[in-house]
Amino acid sequence: MQLRGLATVSFWAADLTAAKTWYADLLGVEPYYEVRDAEGRPAYYEFRLGDHQHELGLIDSRYAPPGTPAAPGGAVVYWHVDDLDATVAALLAAGAREHQPPTPRGDGDFVTASVVDPFGNILGVMRNPHYLQMLDAVRA
């Protein structure tokens, strides 16, 4: 088995339309892809983000597997950002709540933070020097 790269991060939302609006406002882009159910209601929205156009999917909570917890938990996916403090401030100003404040990791060049969006999902952000090194290598 080989994990080749991040394909799609999926978040559940009971109010999918509100989640789409919140993320579109936050990210400054509209979703590029949408799926509707048989009654024409939104079921899924997908955004493409960042240097590698990774995907962030928003799925109506009615499609969550049985037993999916309502409280935030599980794995945290961290997105590299250029200005961690400004990003965290913008997320909090947009209505997210702090999950973990900016926290230096290892040698201190890595700093992570996370918030819980208004729909109960954990959104991680970080300053990641390895990400920047990878970008430099790709651009060279």
Side-chain angles (χ1 to χ4, degrees):
M1 176 184 83
Q2 181 182 15
L3 300 177
R4 299 279 315 269
L6 183 66
T8 304
V9 175
S10 297
F11 286 168
W12 304 107
D15 186 342
L16 189 60
T17 301
K20 176 202 154 219
T21 300
W22 193 82
Y23 274 96
D25 290 347
L26 183 75
L27 301 170
V29 297
E30 290 294 319
Y32 80 98
Y33 182 69
E34 171 184 333
V35 174
R36 294 188 172 270
D37 66 15
E39 290 80 40
R41 297 176 298 181
Y44 179 77
Y45 291 107
E46 192 168 273
F47 297 85
R48 285 196 175 144
L49 309 172
D51 301 298
H52 297 287
Q53 296 293 283
H54 293 301
E55 297 170 350
L56 173 62
L58 304 176
I59 308 170
D60 192 301
S61 293
R62 61 195 153 112
Y63 297 106
T68 299
V76 178
V77 174
Y78 291 95
W79 298 82
H80 171 80
V81 296
D82 292 327
D83 187 333
L84 184 72
D85 292 332
T87 300
V88 170
L91 288 163
L92 296 174
R97 65 179 168 82
E98 185 177 79
H99 181 258
Q100 184 175 51
T103 305
R105 304 292 182 183
D107 61 12
D109 286 343
F110 296 85
V111 181
T112 65
S114 57
V115 300
V116 177
D117 73 14
F119 315 96
N121 301 289
I122 300 173
L123 176 63
V125 292
M126 75 180 299
R127 183 178 66 225
N128 184 329
H130 287 169
Y131 184 87
L132 296 174
Q133 291 169 355
M134 181 271 314
L135 275 185
D136 287 343
V138 169
R139 292 178 181 154

